[in-house]
Amino acid sequence: MHAALDVGVRAPLTLLIAPPGTGKTVLLSDWVRRRRDDGTAVTWISGHAAGSFGRMLEQAVDRDPSDPELVVVDDGHLLSATVLAELALVLRKSPHALRIVLASRYDLPLPVPELELRGLTLTLRSRDLRFTDAEATELVKAHAGSATAEDIRLFQANTAGWAAALVLAARTFAASGEVRWSLVNQGPVLDLFLGETVSTLDERVQAMLLSTFGVPSVTAELAAALSDDPDAGAMLAELAGNGLLVTAYVDGPGAEPSYRYHPLLVELLRRRVAANAERARIVAAAQHRSALYYENRGDSVGALRSALGADDPALVARIVLSRGPELLAAGELELVAVALGVVPVEDFPHLLGVRGLLRRASGDVAGAVMDAAAADRLTGERDAPTPEDDALEADAVLLRLWKSRYGWHDVRSAIDGARSLLSPDSGSSDAVLGPERLAWLLIELAAAETWADDLDRASAHLGEALVSARMAAHSRLIAGGLVHRAVVQYARGQLRNAARSAREALDIGGDDLPPEYAVRAYVVLGFAALGDLRRDEAWRWYELVAMTASAESDTVIGALRATLRGVLLIEDGRLDEALSELSADPAAAGPLPSFLARDLALLRFRLAVLIGDEDGAAGQLAELDRVGSGPEAELLQAMLSIGEGDLRATVRMIDEVLAHPGIYPPVASAAASFRTVLLTRAADPAAAEASLVDTLNRVAPQRIVHALIPAGGEPVFLDQLRAYARSPNPHPFAAIALERLDGYRSKGGVTLLARTRPDTDAVPDRRLSAVVNGAQIRLTGREADVLDQLALGNSYTETAKALFITENTVKTHLMALYRKLGVEKRSAALRVARGVGLLRPAPAVETGLPAAQGSSPGAFDGQGRLR
């Protein structure tokens, strides 16, 4: 069999398919030991815990096919459907990346026929594992030296060369001198032999087996702890050596062996426990010791599972109280729910906080709020705090911080309570909090501080949370700290850093990352893609955000989602949809944090400029002032002053504001690029190049190329950037910015720079106000655009396409237009509009007359209003 396996591993896949008890694991274990002794690196993977196999398959495509990794997978029938699908994909696309030996009880959904046709697989089955007469004689003699040739012939005839049956028959014969054969099938034969064989074992060995059979794999150290017998390791080694359905595994040279019991032995022991109270007490005592063993080693899942088998509610309650938040943060909701079903909160009231956290994680918001209130009441009643009280207080604080972000608790009060608990004078010990509970508490505190506009403290607490989570090696909490940090970095304009944090969180958390964490990563990566002008990718991230349920309930993510969608709609030219999206603040309990209010005001300002809504633009400047973004408002006002026609004055105003520290980087970058265009128009090449370098210095660190869109649409800016990138010593980011801008086209409408472009064939300013029937009326910019389309004779459909709006929106604007003009149909509207001067004059090329002189079309006047 060793020789067959040696031949098999020359191909990508070797399958060993046979029922339990046929010797698959014993064979592979012995073969792996020999290969390792020869210096061959072999990775052993059990189907019980195949997470590493999935990761190995993901990396297989990139491996060097000339150096394939040898992997042995035992109990392959336990592999998940996902892992099997990945394995099938690797075998089809990159078959030579790995050499896989896979043992299974039955055939698996793998492309075996296809591989067999290509000579890329070998399959060994039960018939190949059956012992020949000579082999059976040697095996039986090893266990029953007095067996005669006739005895062995009988054994072989009744077991059909089945290894486990031969061993058990021989051991039974050695103990009793006779064998009683079942007349039904091999299953009962094995059951009979196994039962009789186990009964002949020493009582200490039987007690050790009863104490340890509940764990998938046991080491000598763990067996000694569970059975309270220091000789447990020696017993296991002897059982494995005798072949009594106990198999030893060694992961590498010098490593301690671990042992696994055959399913037949496990099932026999389970039935024996169920039928005997004394044996059940032995198992319960072992489970109690097991819980303490795993707890001392930081294995909370193992500790709680063992405690549930120990028939000790107090032990379960203690582990749930101390380890519950850690388990919930790791996604072990079902395990904690089972434990809380065993230990009623009425009997263990300190578990109220853990149950509230479980209900919160399970989506039972009403139940979580009720438990939070009950936990608050209980913590308020304590006189002399105990460690249990401190744990409950920590959980109550976690729930208060969560509620505060939804308006169910005062956010400042929740933050103060958390900071008080975390202060050195609080009396709460690190042992009570633990690194996992502490990390979760710090993450929730930072989330509340982000909502409360305290980004500095939020950033500091997230740094502490990551230290605690990494100390505990808790992947979910590490990912949670990273995604919250990504949001804080985004709020500060550190877009590239934010994207790095978000990607790291997704890599660490993987498919198990909770939606409330994953959605933060998605929205930040959407903004990062947009900042780098990868619009299609940004839309894909947005779709992931929109499909995540918590995007609607999480107030911060709700606002970020609306902002991201608004920007993308503008970039696609869907201005009416953007206007609808941004018409109201996202639903939130209380005022939005200043960074969210700032971003929404900046986006609404941009949209107002694009559609010619001067009142809306002025309103957003006031909103920026109100939320503490005065310098940003000053910059935008300075840029609006271009309508006065004094380019130098506008440049000086921009320079004065840019001299202030701490301006939001995207706004500062946009203003710097705006200034570059103005200096180019003013024919000052030296100053324009210096301004361009300053612009690149502002954009490059965080790759916020999107901030250059208004300037990037100007031919003079692209020409200057192109010439500068070809100069002897250009800025390192110049070529990247040029590549991004040169291949990008925003459909967002006419920018302020485009409106004020000094083109020789510019159309004269148009009038938006007039007196009709003795009353002063004023058209909006969009109503004026629709009027122009009417004059061209376009239909609803053609008008909608020309203006990037829907037909329904066209009809809405027409109704408003007709009402203002006091008419009911198109022909009357055109006649009145021409009569009062609201229609643009025909272009000079059509009339044969020179173009009218005056200000550029659509420019803002000195008060920031559109002419």
Side-chain angles (χ1 to χ4, degrees), residues 711-723 737-738 741-742 745:
E714 295 301 296
V716 294
F717 183 85
L718 283 177
D719 289 344
Q720 184 187 9
L721 181 59
R722 193 173 291 109
L738 178 62
L741 291 169
D742 217 7
R745 292 294 177 267

Side-chain angles (χ1 to χ4, degrees), residues 273-323:
V273 169
N276 185 285
E278 179 58 33
R279 290 172 184 154
R281 282 192 290 273
I282 292 174
V283 172
Q287 290 295 317
H288 194 284
R289 289 189 292 268
S290 174
L292 300 179
Y293 175 87
Y294 285 123
E295 186 180 27
N296 289 334
R297 282 155 181 77
D299 183 350
S300 300
V301 173
L304 186 52
R305 284 180 176 161
S306 296
L308 288 169
D311 193 25
D312 186 348
L315 176 64
V316 174
R318 182 178 63 74
I319 292 177
V320 169
L321 184 63
S322 63
R323 305 283 183 162

Side-chain angles (χ1 to χ4, degrees), residues 660-673:
H660 299 165
I663 297 177
Y664 186 47
V667 177
S669 300
S673 66

Side-chain angles (χ1 to χ4, degrees), residues 219-272:
T219 62
E221 178 188 11
L222 178 57
L226 298 183
S227 64
D228 199 23
D229 191 327
D231 295 329
M235 298 177 196
L236 284 170
E238 183 179 0
L239 291 170
N242 289 336
L244 186 59
L245 296 183
V246 176
T247 305
Y249 299 87
V250 180
D251 287 337
E256 291 294 321
S258 59
Y259 301 89
R260 189 186 309 154
Y261 301 164
H262 194 280
L264 293 171
L265 178 58
V266 172
E267 181 57 30
L268 173 72
L269 294 170
R270 183 177 292 113
R271 290 202 305 270
R272 288 192 162 203

